[in-house]
Amino acid sequence: LYSVDFHEIEKCQSNNDWDTIAKALSQAAVCLEKAGADFVVICSNTIHKVADEIQDYISVPILHVADVTADQITERSFTRVGLLGTRFTMEQDFYTSRLISKGIQVVVPEPDDMQTVDRIIFRELCLGIIKTESKEKYLEVISKLKTKGAQGVILGCTEIGLLVNESDTEVPLFDTSYIQAYQAAVLALA
């Protein structure tokens, strides 16, 4: 386990300084490998933006959250899913390209909804603030994604599961925190 200061990471994200993030987390991954790790888990969907750069520094594999999530989606025979997450995860292709490569179409919220989803993550969920009105907004966005043809919705940020879960909606949800943790346990036990 190697923990980093999220405040510093968030500052780098806001400044579009992904190189600093990649360098810091590559050093962490090297330490984990030297300590005997058989694989590395990055416990943030957004940070997977630099997963390939981190992988270049280590010989053990990274258990990529988009890959294990795609496996869960294809096991359910879904071919079109919605994606919620930080604006980086929703707008950029580092996450969606991996899903698309496995035959999964991805729909994201409209720009205004995307901004709301991102704002709630950083200004509420990351600070441990859970609001009923934010949950209602997320459920509205999930409903809109279903209207756009999403058979299920990926909760592509570790904090979103604090706000909504499958009992809140008729749309199947793929909570990446759970999926990745479960797959890491399976891989570790193997």
Side-chain angles (χ1 to χ4, degrees):
L1 178 65
Y2 194 109
S3 186
V4 296
D5 182 351
F6 179 70
H7 179 70
E8 293 301 316
I9 297 293
E10 184 182 14
K11 237 185 341 184
C12 289
Q13 288 175 345
S14 296
N15 294 326
N16 205 28
D17 185 6
W18 294 97
D19 288 339
T20 298
I21 295 170
K23 287 175 187 168
L25 294 180
S26 294
Q27 291 172 355
V30 167
C31 290
L32 292 170
E33 183 175 30
K34 285 181 180 178
D38 294 319
F39 60 94
V40 171
V41 176
I42 301 170
C43 299
S44 164
N45 287 263
T46 302
I47 297 304
H48 280 78
K49 177 175 172 58
V50 294
D52 292 340
E53 289 90 332
I54 296 168
Q55 185 65 74
D56 289 343
Y57 283 86
I58 56 176
S59 60
V60 297
I62 292 174
L63 183 66
H64 199 290
V65 67
D67 293 340
V68 295
T69 301
D71 292 343
Q72 292 288 310
I73 293 165
T74 55
E75 279 182 24
R76 300 224 13 211
S77 300
F78 289 178
T79 57
R80 187 172 173 90
V81 295
L83 174 63
L84 298 178
T86 65
R87 69 183 183 276
F88 308 108
T89 303
M90 294 183 287
E91 290 177 341
Q92 299 175 16
D93 73 345
F94 68 91
Y95 199 98
T96 57
S97 63
R98 292 182 92 103
L99 299 170
I100 291 167
S101 74
K102 294 186 180 223
I104 301 167
Q105 297 174 351
V106 181
V107 292
V108 294
E110 295 299 322
D112 287 349
D113 287 336
M114 201 179 282
Q115 186 177 27
T116 299
V117 167
D118 184 77
R119 179 187 55 75
I120 291 169
I121 289 169
F122 284 107
R123 294 192 188 156
E124 296 175 23
L125 301 178
C126 285
L127 302 174
I129 299 168
I130 310 296
K131 295 182 178 179
T132 302
E133 58 268 21
S134 296
K135 180 176 188 167
E136 290 169 2
K137 185 60 183 170
Y138 264 62
L139 293 175
E140 287 174 24
V141 173
I142 289 169
S143 181
K144 289 178 186 178
L145 291 172
K146 182 181 178 191
T147 301
K148 290 170 106 177
Q151 298 163 300
V153 174
I154 298 169
L155 305 183
C157 175
T158 54
E159 286 80 17
I160 297 174
L162 299 170
L163 189 63
V164 295
N165 59 61
E166 278 204 17
S167 66
D168 297 319
T169 179
E170 62 187 43
V171 180
L173 301 178
F174 295 91
D175 185 339
T176 58
S177 296
Y178 172 79
I179 292 168
Q180 189 181 42
Y182 179 82
Q183 290 303 320
V186 169
L187 188 57
L189 292 171

